[in-house]
Amino acid sequence: MKFNKICVIGLGYIGLPTASTFAVNGVNVIGVDTNSHVIDTLNKGEIHIHEPGLPEAVSNAVRSGKFKATTRPEEADAYIIAVPTPFKHDEFGEYNGVKYKLADMRAVTSAAESIVPHLKKGNLVVLESTSPPRTTVDLVTPILEKSGLKAGSDFFLCYSPERVLPGQILRELIENARIVGGITAESAQAGHDLYATFVKGQIIKTDATTAEMVKLMENTYRDVNIAIANEFSRLAEKFGVDVWEAVSLANLHPRVKILSPGPGVGGHCISVDPWFFVEAAPELTPLIYHARQVNDAQPHFVVEKIKQALGELKGKKIAALGLAYKPDVDDLRESPANEVVHLLQGEGAQVKAWEPFKPDADMEGIHMASSLEDAIKDADLIVLLVKHTEFIKLDPHEIAEKTKTRVLFDTVSGWNINDWEIAGFKVIRLGVGK
Ligand code: SAJ
């Protein structure tokens, strides 16, 4: 199949790199987003999110004349839905006394509805948003069929998960293997042809529900593995062991790959997607549910440790380094660092947070420092919450001149203890009981 013009609905962390990659590969792309500020920014060739290489990709796409951003879909050969699927914050499910989170599918629903008036015979629609199992068949198909066309025979319909890692999106979009699940074999083939425009990794065809499940399995597998690393950090403290050393030694085993403990699991994917399985089948998912509980409780564990280090938290001044959900990104969504800051404040500490990737972030209830110096100047303790490269590279002697404290709490094993001790600091690390 040939695709001269496509519509990408949702211009966030996935939709925008996808749209600009199609455009620089010669496809006419209409990028659609409901946020008019995003549209104006993009049409000027600028961008609203931080991702290495993306500013250049978007400005090339706009200059080539192949990319245009707007608030409504238009007629096209193919439609890609890449809108967010967060969980609901005010509604929960319950099974045998266990409370679980529910997927908020409103954005997928309205994206699918916005395609209906434009849908023609022979079109392809691809859902990329991470979704609960059977969404393509049970939710998207009936909406699109309101057009009077039949999915699978009049138009093609696929689920194709994005699997790119924030920070490396543009490279992984091209190089990663791509899974295309069609509601029919012909749909999968049409999806294959679309992504063959730029994907250099393998493109594997399957059915839509398998593709949905694959995506959820990948992120759930990672969440469960981080949960065990976090549980190991607690055990290591109890037994007087350094968890970082123990993990690196265990990982010498050829079939063991333990992930890193930390202040918790954040972002819009790993901390959300496992709930889609729990919601779909709470009776079958005790492990997945408990892994989520362990990771969600990790900020509390960190705060308890900081309390032990300071004796008490009331009135103590704490500098929090990093609010992003992981290193070298500006995404603060579902960040465990934010949770740590809120919990510290709840115990009476005065926290100043410094996030170099979003210094102007307006986070409810969080006092943002104007600079690193401002954050650490009067601090009683500095807590490292995110392993941003620029934090790891800080010079301990320079920092010693800029702060009155000599106590550091490192939740991510980002700092070399010897270097900081030579500069006069005491370094407490998460997961170290020695
Ligand atoms: N984290 C740890 N320890 C680790 C690794 C990560 O605590 O050893 C934490 C991070 O600090 C962060 C969270 O987990 O708070 C998630 O970070 P991540 O780097 O593991 O994953 P994401 O959310 O940035 O991207 C994931 C990726 N999925 C997998 O690696 C299986 C990516 O490939 C997906 O495309 C993305 O989710 C997505 O969009 O679903």
Side-chain angles (χ1 to χ4, degrees), residues 112-135:
E113 282 168 349
S114 73
I115 296 171
V116 173
H118 309 286
L119 199 62
K120 293 189 307 289
K121 270 197 168 195
N123 279 171
L124 164 67
V125 180
V126 184
L127 175 64
E128 282 200 13
S129 311
T130 305
S131 300
R134 298 192 58 85
T135 296

mmCIF file with all atom_site columns, all heavy atoms in Angstrom, residues 112-135:
data_model
loop_
_atom_site.group_PDB
_atom_site.id
_atom_site.type_symbol
_atom_site.label_atom_id
_atom_site.label_alt_id
_atom_site.label_comp_id
_atom_site.label_asym_id
_atom_site.label_entity_id
_atom_site.label_seq_id
_atom_site.pdbx_PDB_ins_code
_atom_site.Cartn_x
_atom_site.Cartn_y
_atom_site.Cartn_z
_atom_site.occupancy
_atom_site.B_iso_or_equiv
_atom_site.pdbx_formal_charge
_atom_site.auth_seq_id
_atom_site.auth_comp_id
_atom_site.auth_asym_id
_atom_site.auth_atom_id
_atom_site.pdbx_PDB_model_num
ATOM 1   N N   . ALA A 1 112 ? -10.710 8.611   18.049 1.00 0.00 ? 112 ALA A N   1
ATOM 2   C CA  . ALA A 1 112 ? -11.363 7.708   17.086 1.00 0.00 ? 112 ALA A CA  1
ATOM 3   C C   . ALA A 1 112 ? -12.610 8.388   16.507 1.00 0.00 ? 112 ALA A C   1
ATOM 4   O O   . ALA A 1 112 ? -12.856 8.354   15.296 1.00 0.00 ? 112 ALA A O   1
ATOM 5   C CB  . ALA A 1 112 ? -11.724 6.389   17.764 1.00 0.00 ? 112 ALA A CB  1
ATOM 6   N N   . GLU A 1 113 ? -13.365 9.080   17.390 1.00 0.00 ? 113 GLU A N   1
ATOM 7   C CA  . GLU A 1 113 ? -14.581 9.762   16.906 1.00 0.00 ? 113 GLU A CA  1
ATOM 8   C C   . GLU A 1 113 ? -14.248 10.863  15.896 1.00 0.00 ? 113 GLU A C   1
ATOM 9   O O   . GLU A 1 113 ? -14.973 11.079  14.927 1.00 0.00 ? 113 GLU A O   1
ATOM 10  C CB  . GLU A 1 113 ? -15.356 10.360  18.087 1.00 0.00 ? 113 GLU A CB  1
ATOM 11  C CG  . GLU A 1 113 ? -16.151 9.290   18.826 1.00 0.00 ? 113 GLU A CG  1
ATOM 12  C CD  . GLU A 1 113 ? -16.712 9.765   20.163 1.00 0.00 ? 113 GLU A CD  1
ATOM 13  O OE1 . GLU A 1 113 ? -16.315 10.854  20.634 1.00 0.00 ? 113 GLU A OE1 1
ATOM 14  O OE2 . GLU A 1 113 ? -17.529 9.018   20.737 1.00 0.00 ? 113 GLU A OE2 1
ATOM 15  N N   . SER A 1 114 ? -13.102 11.521  16.103 1.00 0.00 ? 114 SER A N   1
ATOM 16  C CA  . SER A 1 114 ? -12.743 12.632  15.204 1.00 0.00 ? 114 SER A CA  1
ATOM 17  C C   . SER A 1 114 ? -12.349 12.134  13.805 1.00 0.00 ? 114 SER A C   1
ATOM 18  O O   . SER A 1 114 ? -12.354 12.897  12.849 1.00 0.00 ? 114 SER A O   1
ATOM 19  C CB  . SER A 1 114 ? -11.598 13.461  15.806 1.00 0.00 ? 114 SER A CB  1
ATOM 20  O OG  . SER A 1 114 ? -10.379 12.751  15.724 1.00 0.00 ? 114 SER A OG  1
ATOM 21  N N   . ILE A 1 115 ? -12.022 10.841  13.703 1.00 0.00 ? 115 ILE A N   1
ATOM 22  C CA  . ILE A 1 115 ? -11.654 10.275  12.395 1.00 0.00 ? 115 ILE A CA  1
ATOM 23  C C   . ILE A 1 115 ? -12.908 9.934   11.577 1.00 0.00 ? 115 ILE A C   1
ATOM 24  O O   . ILE A 1 115 ? -12.910 10.021  10.349 1.00 0.00 ? 115 ILE A O   1
ATOM 25  C CB  . ILE A 1 115 ? -10.794 8.991   12.592 1.00 0.00 ? 115 ILE A CB  1
ATOM 26  C CG1 . ILE A 1 115 ? -9.471  9.341   13.271 1.00 0.00 ? 115 ILE A CG1 1
ATOM 27  C CG2 . ILE A 1 115 ? -10.537 8.282   11.254 1.00 0.00 ? 115 ILE A CG2 1
ATOM 28  C CD1 . ILE A 1 115 ? -8.660  8.117   13.700 1.00 0.00 ? 115 ILE A CD1 1
ATOM 29  N N   . VAL A 1 116 ? -13.989 9.561   12.289 1.00 0.00 ? 116 VAL A N   1
ATOM 30  C CA  . VAL A 1 116 ? -15.193 9.008   11.627 1.00 0.00 ? 116 VAL A CA  1
ATOM 31  C C   . VAL A 1 116 ? -15.669 9.818   10.403 1.00 0.00 ? 116 VAL A C   1
ATOM 32  O O   . VAL A 1 116 ? -15.864 9.257   9.333  1.00 0.00 ? 116 VAL A O   1
ATOM 33  C CB  . VAL A 1 116 ? -16.339 8.807   12.658 1.00 0.00 ? 116 VAL A CB  1
ATOM 34  C CG1 . VAL A 1 116 ? -17.639 8.397   11.977 1.00 0.00 ? 116 VAL A CG1 1
ATOM 35  C CG2 . VAL A 1 116 ? -15.920 7.746   13.677 1.00 0.00 ? 116 VAL A CG2 1
ATOM 36  N N   . PRO A 1 117 ? -15.804 11.162  10.516 1.00 0.00 ? 117 PRO A N   1
ATOM 37  C CA  . PRO A 1 117 ? -16.334 11.903  9.357  1.00 0.00 ? 117 PRO A CA  1
ATOM 38  C C   . PRO A 1 117 ? -15.418 11.858  8.130  1.00 0.00 ? 117 PRO A C   1
ATOM 39  O O   . PRO A 1 117 ? -15.870 12.169  7.024  1.00 0.00 ? 117 PRO A O   1
ATOM 40  C CB  . PRO A 1 117 ? -16.436 13.352  9.871  1.00 0.00 ? 117 PRO A CB  1
ATOM 41  C CG  . PRO A 1 117 ? -16.244 13.305  11.336 1.00 0.00 ? 117 PRO A CG  1
ATOM 42  C CD  . PRO A 1 117 ? -15.549 12.040  11.674 1.00 0.00 ? 117 PRO A CD  1
ATOM 43  N N   . HIS A 1 118 ? -14.135 11.513  8.321  1.00 0.00 ? 118 HIS A N   1
ATOM 44  C CA  . HIS A 1 118 ? -13.175 11.563  7.204  1.00 0.00 ? 118 HIS A CA  1
ATOM 45  C C   . HIS A 1 118 ? -12.847 10.182  6.642  1.00 0.00 ? 118 HIS A C   1
ATOM 46  O O   . HIS A 1 118 ? -12.185 10.073  5.610  1.00 0.00 ? 118 HIS A O   1
ATOM 47  C CB  . HIS A 1 118 ? -11.867 12.216  7.681  1.00 0.00 ? 118 HIS A CB  1
ATOM 48  C CG  . HIS A 1 118 ? -12.087 13.528  8.366  1.00 0.00 ? 118 HIS A CG  1
ATOM 49  N ND1 . HIS A 1 118 ? -12.421 14.670  7.690  1.00 0.00 ? 118 HIS A ND1 1
ATOM 50  C CD2 . HIS A 1 118 ? -12.075 13.861  9.684  1.00 0.00 ? 118 HIS A CD2 1
ATOM 51  C CE1 . HIS A 1 118 ? -12.578 15.667  8.545  1.00 0.00 ? 118 HIS A CE1 1
ATOM 52  N NE2 . HIS A 1 118 ? -12.380 15.192  9.768  1.00 0.00 ? 118 HIS A NE2 1
ATOM 53  N N   . LEU A 1 119 ? -13.289 9.135   7.348  1.00 0.00 ? 119 LEU A N   1
ATOM 54  C CA  . LEU A 1 119 ? -12.867 7.776   6.991  1.00 0.00 ? 119 LEU A CA  1
ATOM 55  C C   . LEU A 1 119 ? -13.423 7.346   5.628  1.00 0.00 ? 119 LEU A C   1
ATOM 56  O O   . LEU A 1 119 ? -14.609 7.515   5.356  1.00 0.00 ? 119 LEU A O   1
ATOM 57  C CB  . LEU A 1 119 ? -13.344 6.816   8.094  1.00 0.00 ? 119 LEU A CB  1
ATOM 58  C CG  . LEU A 1 119 ? -12.660 5.456   8.167  1.00 0.00 ? 119 LEU A CG  1
ATOM 59  C CD1 . LEU A 1 119 ? -11.164 5.600   8.460  1.00 0.00 ? 119 LEU A CD1 1
ATOM 60  C CD2 . LEU A 1 119 ? -13.319 4.605   9.268  1.00 0.00 ? 119 LEU A CD2 1
ATOM 61  N N   . LYS A 1 120 ? -12.537 6.791   4.788  1.00 0.00 ? 120 LYS A N   1
ATOM 62  C CA  . LYS A 1 120 ? -12.958 6.351   3.446  1.00 0.00 ? 120 LYS A CA  1
ATOM 63  C C   . LYS A 1 120 ? -12.553 4.895   3.246  1.00 0.00 ? 120 LYS A C   1
ATOM 64  O O   . LYS A 1 120 ? -11.666 4.379   3.948  1.00 0.00 ? 120 LYS A O   1
ATOM 65  C CB  . LYS A 1 120 ? -12.247 7.184   2.369  1.00 0.00 ? 120 LYS A CB  1
ATOM 66  C CG  . LYS A 1 120 ? -12.638 8.649   2.334  1.00 0.00 ? 120 LYS A CG  1
ATOM 67  C CD  . LYS A 1 120 ? -12.065 9.342   1.108  1.00 0.00 ? 120 LYS A CD  1
ATOM 68  C CE  . LYS A 1 120 ? -10.576 9.184   0.894  1.00 0.00 ? 120 LYS A CE  1
ATOM 69  N NZ  . LYS A 1 120 ? -9.688  9.856   1.782  1.00 0.00 ? 120 LYS A NZ  1
ATOM 70  N N   . LYS A 1 121 ? -13.135 4.263   2.253  1.00 0.00 ? 121 LYS A N   1
ATOM 71  C CA  . LYS A 1 121 ? -12.750 2.886   1.893  1.00 0.00 ? 121 LYS A CA  1
ATOM 72  C C   . LYS A 1 121 ? -11.257 2.837   1.594  1.00 0.00 ? 121 LYS A C   1
ATOM 73  O O   . LYS A 1 121 ? -10.728 3.740   0.948  1.00 0.00 ? 121 LYS A O   1
ATOM 74  C CB  . LYS A 1 121 ? -13.521 2.442   0.650  1.00 0.00 ? 121 LYS A CB  1
ATOM 75  C CG  . LYS A 1 121 ? -14.827 1.791   0.987  1.00 0.00 ? 121 LYS A CG  1
ATOM 76  C CD  . LYS A 1 121 ? -15.371 0.998   -0.191 1.00 0.00 ? 121 LYS A CD  1
ATOM 77  C CE  . LYS A 1 121 ? -16.512 0.137   0.333  1.00 0.00 ? 121 LYS A CE  1
ATOM 78  N NZ  . LYS A 1 121 ? -16.928 -0.891  -0.528 1.00 0.00 ? 121 LYS A NZ  1
ATOM 79  N N   . GLY A 1 122 ? -10.597 1.805   2.090  1.00 0.00 ? 122 GLY A N   1
ATOM 80  C CA  . GLY A 1 122 ? -9.173  1.621   1.781  1.00 0.00 ? 122 GLY A CA  1
ATOM 81  C C   . GLY A 1 122 ? -8.239  2.339   2.735  1.00 0.00 ? 122 GLY A C   1
ATOM 82  O O   . GLY A 1 122 ? -7.026  2.172   2.682  1.00 0.00 ? 122 GLY A O   1
ATOM 83  N N   . ASN A 1 123 ? -8.797  3.156   3.684  1.00 0.00 ? 123 ASN A N   1
ATOM 84  C CA  . ASN A 1 123 ? -7.947  3.842   4.675  1.00 0.00 ? 123 ASN A CA  1
ATOM 85  C C   . ASN A 1 123 ? -7.366  2.837   5.685  1.00 0.00 ? 123 ASN A C   1
ATOM 86  O O   . ASN A 1 123 ? -7.888  1.724   5.844  1.00 0.00 ? 123 ASN A O   1
ATOM 87  C CB  . ASN A 1 123 ? -8.767  4.865   5.468  1.00 0.00 ? 123 ASN A CB  1
ATOM 88  C CG  . ASN A 1 123 ? -8.968  6.187   4.741  1.00 0.00 ? 123 ASN A CG  1
ATOM 89  O OD1 . ASN A 1 123 ? -9.729  7.024   5.162  1.00 0.00 ? 123 ASN A OD1 1
ATOM 90  N ND2 . ASN A 1 123 ? -8.279  6.378   3.624  1.00 0.00 ? 123 ASN A ND2 1
ATOM 91  N N   . LEU A 1 124 ? -6.328  3.295   6.361  1.00 0.00 ? 124 LEU A N   1
ATOM 92  C CA  . LEU A 1 124 ? -5.747  2.515   7.467  1.00 0.00 ? 124 LEU A CA  1
ATOM 93  C C   . LEU A 1 124 ? -5.836  3.357   8.737  1.00 0.00 ? 124 LEU A C   1
ATOM 94  O O   . LEU A 1 124 ? -5.527  4.553   8.712  1.00 0.00 ? 124 LEU A O   1
ATOM 95  C CB  . LEU A 1 124 ? -4.280  2.203   7.155  1.00 0.00 ? 124 LEU A CB  1
ATOM 96  C CG  . LEU A 1 124 ? -3.403  1.732   8.325  1.00 0.00 ? 124 LEU A CG  1
ATOM 97  C CD1 . LEU A 1 124 ? -3.857  0.361   8.824  1.00 0.00 ? 124 LEU A CD1 1
ATOM 98  C CD2 . LEU A 1 124 ? -1.925  1.668   7.909  1.00 0.00 ? 124 LEU A CD2 1
ATOM 99  N N   . VAL A 1 125 ? -6.249  2.731   9.851  1.00 0.00 ? 125 VAL A N   1
ATOM 100 C CA  . VAL A 1 125 ? -6.204  3.407   11.151 1.00 0.00 ? 125 VAL A CA  1
ATOM 101 C C   . VAL A 1 125 ? -5.322  2.570   12.075 1.00 0.00 ? 125 VAL A C   1
ATOM 102 O O   . VAL A 1 125 ? -5.468  1.345   12.143 1.00 0.00 ? 125 VAL A O   1
ATOM 103 C CB  . VAL A 1 125 ? -7.622  3.546   11.776 1.00 0.00 ? 125 VAL A CB  1
ATOM 104 C CG1 . VAL A 1 125 ? -7.540  4.248   13.128 1.00 0.00 ? 125 VAL A CG1 1
ATOM 105 C CG2 . VAL A 1 125 ? -8.557  4.299   10.829 1.00 0.00 ? 125 VAL A CG2 1
ATOM 106 N N   . VAL A 1 126 ? -4.386  3.248   12.745 1.00 0.00 ? 126 VAL A N   1
ATOM 107 C CA  . VAL A 1 126 ? -3.501  2.537   13.678 1.00 0.00 ? 126 VAL A CA  1
ATOM 108 C C   . VAL A 1 126 ? -3.630  3.172   15.052 1.00 0.00 ? 126 VAL A C   1
ATOM 109 O O   . VAL A 1 126 ? -3.480  4.393   15.198 1.00 0.00 ? 126 VAL A O   1
ATOM 110 C CB  . VAL A 1 126 ? -2.018  2.645   13.254 1.00 0.00 ? 126 VAL A CB  1
ATOM 111 C CG1 . VAL A 1 126 ? -1.141  1.813   14.187 1.00 0.00 ? 126 VAL A CG1 1
ATOM 112 C CG2 . VAL A 1 126 ? -1.816  2.213   11.816 1.00 0.00 ? 126 VAL A CG2 1
ATOM 113 N N   . LEU A 1 127 ? -3.885  2.355   16.054 1.00 0.00 ? 127 LEU A N   1
ATOM 114 C CA  . LEU A 1 127 ? -3.846  2.835   17.440 1.00 0.00 ? 127 LEU A CA  1
ATOM 115 C C   . LEU A 1 127 ? -2.449  2.533   17.980 1.00 0.00 ? 127 LEU A C   1
ATOM 116 O O   . LEU A 1 127 ? -1.988  1.389   17.929 1.00 0.00 ? 127 LEU A O   1
ATOM 117 C CB  . LEU A 1 127 ? -4.910  2.108   18.275 1.00 0.00 ? 127 LEU A CB  1
ATOM 118 C CG  . LEU A 1 127 ? -4.902  2.424   19.776 1.00 0.00 ? 127 LEU A CG  1
ATOM 119 C CD1 . LEU A 1 127 ? -5.226  3.890   20.047 1.00 0.00 ? 127 LEU A CD1 1
ATOM 120 C CD2 . LEU A 1 127 ? -5.899  1.526   20.527 1.00 0.00 ? 127 LEU A CD2 1
ATOM 121 N N   . GLU A 1 128 ? -1.764  3.585   18.469 1.00 0.00 ? 128 GLU A N   1
ATOM 122 C CA  . GLU A 1 128 ? -0.435  3.390   19.067 1.00 0.00 ? 128 GLU A CA  1
ATOM 123 C C   . GLU A 1 128 ? -0.474  3.554   20.587 1.00 0.00 ? 128 GLU A C   1
ATOM 124 O O   . GLU A 1 128 ? 0.430   3.102   21.273 1.00 0.00 ? 128 GLU A O   1
ATOM 125 C CB  . GLU A 1 128 ? 0.565   4.408   18.494 1.00 0.00 ? 128 GLU A CB  1
ATOM 126 C CG  . GLU A 1 128 ? 1.083   4.086   17.117 1.00 0.00 ? 128 GLU A CG  1
ATOM 127 C CD  . GLU A 1 128 ? 2.390   4.825   16.806 1.00 0.00 ? 128 GLU A CD  1
ATOM 128 O OE1 . GLU A 1 128 ? 3.006   5.386   17.733 1.00 0.00 ? 128 GLU A OE1 1
ATOM 129 O OE2 . GLU A 1 128 ? 2.771   4.830   15.627 1.00 0.00 ? 128 GLU A OE2 1
ATOM 130 N N   . SER A 1 129 ? -1.494  4.256   21.095 1.00 0.00 ? 129 SER A N   1
ATOM 131 C CA  . SER A 1 129 ? -1.552  4.519   22.538 1.00 0.00 ? 129 SER A CA  1
ATOM 132 C C   . SER A 1 129 ? -1.574  3.208   23.312 1.00 0.00 ? 129 SER A C   1
ATOM 133 O O   . SER A 1 129 ? -2.333  2.292   22.963 1.00 0.00 ? 129 SER A O   1
ATOM 134 C CB  . SER A 1 129 ? -2.828  5.287   22.881 1.00 0.00 ? 129 SER A CB  1
ATOM 135 O OG  . SER A 1 129 ? -2.996  6.390   22.032 1.00 0.00 ? 129 SER A OG  1
ATOM 136 N N   . THR A 1 130 ? -0.810  3.146   24.389 1.00 0.00 ? 130 THR A N   1
ATOM 137 C CA  . THR A 1 130 ? -0.833  1.957   25.239 1.00 0.00 ? 130 THR A CA  1
ATOM 138 C C   . THR A 1 130 ? -2.240  1.810   25.821 1.00 0.00 ? 130 THR A C   1
ATOM 139 O O   . THR A 1 130 ? -2.780  2.757   26.382 1.00 0.00 ? 130 THR A O   1
ATOM 140 C CB  . THR A 1 130 ? 0.191   2.110   26.375 1.00 0.00 ? 130 THR A CB  1
ATOM 141 O OG1 . THR A 1 130 ? 1.449   2.392   25.774 1.00 0.00 ? 130 THR A OG1 1
ATOM 142 C CG2 . THR A 1 130 ? 0.275   0.851   27.202 1.00 0.00 ? 130 THR A CG2 1
ATOM 143 N N   . SER A 1 131 ? -2.816  0.625   25.662 1.00 0.00 ? 131 SER A N   1
ATOM 144 C CA  . SER A 1 131 ? -4.232  0.467   25.998 1.00 0.00 ? 131 SER A CA  1
ATOM 145 C C   . SER A 1 131 ? -4.495  -0.891  26.645 1.00 0.00 ? 131 SER A C   1
ATOM 146 O O   . SER A 1 131 ? -3.749  -1.846  26.415 1.00 0.00 ? 131 SER A O   1
ATOM 147 C CB  . SER A 1 131 ? -5.071  0.540   24.706 1.00 0.00 ? 131 SER A CB  1
ATOM 148 O OG  . SER A 1 131 ? -4.879  1.782   24.067 1.00 0.00 ? 131 SER A OG  1
ATOM 149 N N   . PRO A 1 132 ? -5.579  -0.997  27.403 1.00 0.00 ? 132 PRO A N   1
ATOM 150 C CA  . PRO A 1 132 ? -5.944  -2.300  27.980 1.00 0.00 ? 132 PRO A CA  1
ATOM 151 C C   . PRO A 1 132 ? -6.190  -3.333  26.879 1.00 0.00 ? 132 PRO A C   1
ATOM 152 O O   . PRO A 1 132 ? -6.576  -2.957  25.761 1.00 0.00 ? 132 PRO A O   1
ATOM 153 C CB  . PRO A 1 132 ? -7.233  -2.000  28.739 1.00 0.00 ? 132 PRO A CB  1
ATOM 154 C CG  . PRO A 1 132 ? -7.204  -0.536  29.002 1.00 0.00 ? 132 PRO A CG  1
ATOM 155 C CD  . PRO A 1 132 ? -6.477  0.076   27.843 1.00 0.00 ? 132 PRO A CD  1
ATOM 156 N N   . PRO A 1 133 ? -5.990  -4.621  27.205 1.00 0.00 ? 133 PRO A N   1
ATOM 157 C CA  . PRO A 1 133 ? -6.195  -5.659  26.198 1.00 0.00 ? 133 PRO A CA  1
ATOM 158 C C   . PRO A 1 133 ? -7.600  -5.584  25.592 1.00 0.00 ? 133 PRO A C   1
ATOM 159 O O   . PRO A 1 133 ? -8.572  -5.359  26.320 1.00 0.00 ? 133 PRO A O   1
ATOM 160 C CB  . PRO A 1 133 ? -6.029  -6.970  26.972 1.00 0.00 ? 133 PRO A CB  1
ATOM 161 C CG  . PRO A 1 133 ? -5.352  -6.605  28.255 1.00 0.00 ? 133 PRO A CG  1
ATOM 162 C CD  . PRO A 1 133 ? -5.614  -5.165  28.509 1.00 0.00 ? 133 PRO A CD  1
ATOM 163 N N   . ARG A 1 134 ? -7.692  -5.740  24.290 1.00 0.00 ? 134 ARG A N   1
ATOM 164 C CA  . ARG A 1 134 ? -8.924  -5.775  23.500 1.00 0.00 ? 134 ARG A CA  1
ATOM 165 C C   . ARG A 1 134 ? -9.486  -4.387  23.163 1.00 0.00 ? 134 ARG A C   1
ATOM 166 O O   . ARG A 1 134 ? -10.576 -4.264  22.614 1.00 0.00 ? 134 ARG A O   1
ATOM 167 C CB  . ARG A 1 134 ? -10.023 -6.638  24.173 1.00 0.00 ? 134 ARG A CB  1
ATOM 168 C CG  . ARG A 1 134 ? -9.630  -8.096  24.319 1.00 0.00 ? 134 ARG A CG  1
ATOM 169 C CD  . ARG A 1 134 ? -10.813 -8.969  24.706 1.00 0.00 ? 134 ARG A CD  1
ATOM 170 N NE  . ARG A 1 134 ? -11.881 -8.882  23.737 1.00 0.00 ? 134 ARG A NE  1
ATOM 171 C CZ  . ARG A 1 134 ? -11.950 -9.607  22.620 1.00 0.00 ? 134 ARG A CZ  1
ATOM 172 N NH1 . ARG A 1 134 ? -11.000 -10.468 22.351 1.00 0.00 ? 134 ARG A NH1 1
ATOM 173 N NH2 . ARG A 1 134 ? -12.969 -9.471  21.788 1.00 0.00 ? 134 ARG A NH2 1
ATOM 174 N N   . THR A 1 135 ? -8.728  -3.313  23.458 1.00 0.00 ? 135 THR A N   1
ATOM 175 C CA  . THR A 1 135 ? -9.227  -1.964  23.151 1.00 0.00 ? 135 THR A CA  1
ATOM 176 C C   . THR A 1 135 ? -9.501  -1.795  21.658 1.00 0.00 ? 135 THR A C   1
ATOM 177 O O   . THR A 1 135 ? -10.519 -1.215  21.266 1.00 0.00 ? 135 THR A O   1
ATOM 178 C CB  . THR A 1 135 ? -8.198  -0.908  23.611 1.00 0.00 ? 135 THR A CB  1
ATOM 179 O OG1 . THR A 1 135 ? -8.085  -0.982  25.021 1.00 0.00 ? 135 THR A OG1 1
ATOM 180 C CG2 . THR A 1 135 ? -8.613  0.498   23.220 1.00 0.00 ? 135 THR A CG2 1
#
